[in-house]
Amino acid sequence: MKNINILITAASRRVALVKNFVKAINNNGCSGKIIATDTDSLSPALYFTDKHYLVPLSSSPEYIPAIKEICKKEDITLVIPTIDEELPTFGRYKDEFKKDGILILISDERTCKICNDKYETFKFFKERGLPFPDTLLPDEIDYSLVKYPLFIKPRFGRGSINAYPIRNERELRFFVEYIKEPVIQRFLEGREYTIDVLCNMKGKVLSVVPRERMVIRSGVCDRGKTVKDDVLIEQGVRVAEELNIIGPANLQCKVNGDITFFEVNPRFSGAIQLTINAGADFPSMIIGMLNGNSPEPCIGDFKDGLIMTSFEESIYI
């Protein structure tokens, strides 16, 4: 029986992700434990793991040494980063961790940097003829030619924080000053989707699951539905291959006749449990890879029309 110890960083509210990895270890003939880290001792996901540690912010020079020390102490097999700010850092250090026998489930540093920077994401998509709204920096705006509505958000940001629709010039001028390092895009009409993707360690796409974001709360899908749409699936494969995604990613887009992407996150999505419960069991596929198996692609193999509706639950410490 192989022993697999997994470290999930920035665990925060990712209780469902933790639970599904615990389940995957138990269901795949492995022994092992789930360890988590966070900067906040009251992050709920910490209390669903075998053990947890408090660590510095990922921007601290002490962060990677702290993670390395935990990996050594807990005999970690795999590190799963979950928050945007730390992704390029782990991408930069993953070869160094690999020398110590520790895999990091992350794309390379270049991919993470492109995805973390919404202006660079726009340029990447445009260069490859992939659908993405025109994106401007503040000094590129010609107010005499602007057509409304627009959408403004931080160039480096997550969770819908400081993201606003713009209806007129007065609002545009205000928010350009109000938001730190903003990008300005055409406002996208239509239904919003997340496309969950999993690739193996060589970048081969294993699974693609589109799901409609029916209700969004604080940037995370609160109610959603899986959608077996061939065009969304094909586009998901293409974007993942162009970006050379390793491990998980979630691609966000809107559909109004045509598909238009507006964000890519090379990590697990906040509502990955819907994809897992629809039959695309990413954690089990990952455990299989760690066990030395080579999971075959199962693109489109999931339950169509499965609806998730979420609710708050509390723990008491």
Side-chain angles (χ1 to χ4, degrees):
M1 180 182 292
K2 187 168 183 177
N3 189 68
I4 294 175
N5 297 323
I6 295 175
L7 176 64
I8 298 177
T9 66
S12 188
R13 296 167 58 91
R14 293 179 175 273
V15 174
L17 183 66
V18 169
K19 285 184 172 181
N20 277 289
F21 268 100
V22 171
K23 183 179 178 182
I25 287 176
N26 293 335
N27 289 349
N28 282 274
C30 305
S31 61
K33 56 191 176 183
I34 303 294
I35 312 296
T37 64
D38 207 284
T39 60
D40 185 349
S41 64
L42 296 182
S43 292
L46 298 179
Y47 298 92
F48 291 84
T49 62
D50 295 286
K51 195 172 183 179
H52 68 261
Y53 292 85
L54 298 183
V55 294
L57 290 170
S58 60
S59 57
S60 167
E62 300 302 317
Y63 182 65
I64 290 298
I67 296 296
K68 285 184 175 180
E69 183 62 29
I70 294 166
C71 289
K72 182 179 179 181
K73 184 176 181 179
E74 301 294 342
D75 191 24
I76 295 297
T77 311
L78 180 73
V79 178
I80 301 176
T82 71
I83 196 169
D84 296 340
E85 292 89 336
E86 67 182 5
L87 301 183
T89 301
F90 275 116
R92 183 163 62 252
Y93 282 97
K94 72 176 189 176
D95 287 342
E96 192 172 310
F97 275 77
K98 191 174 182 179
K99 291 177 183 176
D100 294 327
I102 303 161
L103 292 177
I104 301 181
L105 195 65
I106 193 71
S107 301
D108 63 28
E109 183 183 10
R110 174 178 173 273
T111 297
C112 293
K113 282 185 173 180
I114 290 170
C115 296
N116 269 15
D117 183 334
K118 294 175 180 59
Y119 192 67
E120 290 298 321
T121 307
F122 155 66
K123 291 197 297 183
F124 183 91
F125 273 63
K126 186 175 181 179
E127 287 168 0
R128 287 156 180 78
L130 293 164
F132 203 90
D134 286 339
T135 301
L136 300 173
L137 299 177
D139 60 3
E140 297 174 324
I141 299 171
D142 184 339
Y143 285 92
S144 66
L145 298 177
V146 170
K147 293 183 179 180
Y148 301 93
L150 299 170
F151 200 78
I152 190 167
K153 55 189 175 182
R155 180 173 177 175
F156 308 93
R158 58 183 172 86
S160 297
I161 298 170
N162 283 338
Y164 303 99
I166 301 295
R167 297 165 293 184
N168 52 53
E169 183 176 330
R170 180 176 62 86
E171 292 180 350
L172 178 57
R173 289 186 181 276
F174 171 79
F175 282 112
V176 161
E177 296 297 327
Y178 177 76
I179 298 171
K180 182 181 179 181
E181 295 187 274
V183 291
I184 302 94
Q185 297 176 336
R186 172 172 53 88
F187 184 85
L188 297 176
E189 302 283 355
R191 294 185 174 184
E192 187 168 332
Y193 293 83
T194 288
I195 304 175
D196 285 321
V197 176
L198 181 68
C199 301
N200 67 15
M201 293 299 183
K202 295 182 178 179
K204 184 176 183 179
V205 180
L206 299 177
S207 182
V208 179
V209 180
R211 48 185 176 80
E212 183 181 352
R213 305 179 87 198
M214 300 164 69
V215 175
I216 302 167
R217 182 164 54 91
S218 299
V220 177
C221 180
D222 197 55
R223 298 174 191 174
K225 179 175 68 173
T226 56
V227 179
K228 194 169 287 190
D229 181 289
D230 290 341
V231 178
L232 284 171
I233 292 171
E234 289 167 6
Q235 287 280 31
V237 171
R238 184 183 173 197
V239 170
E241 289 178 342
E242 290 281 0
L243 279 166
N244 191 31
I245 294 294
I246 303 295
N250 64 90
L251 325 175
Q252 295 185 4
C253 63
K254 282 201 173 183
V255 177
N256 187 18
D258 295 323
I259 299 168
T260 305
F261 291 95
F262 61 88
E263 192 164 315
V264 178
N265 302 297
R267 56 166 170 75
F268 280 111
S269 61
I272 189 63
Q273 64 268 25
L274 174 53
T275 287
I276 295 169
N277 280 278
D281 192 344
F282 287 12
S284 284
M285 294 182 207
I286 291 164
I287 296 299
M289 287 188 276
L290 295 176
N291 260 333
N293 301 326
S294 299
E296 289 299 315
C298 51
I299 298 167
D301 186 7
F302 62 91
K303 185 175 182 179
D304 187 26
L306 181 66
I307 293 174
M308 173 188 73
T309 180
S310 304
F311 64 98
E312 286 289 352
E313 189 173 354
S314 302
I315 59 174
Y316 303 91
I317 301 166

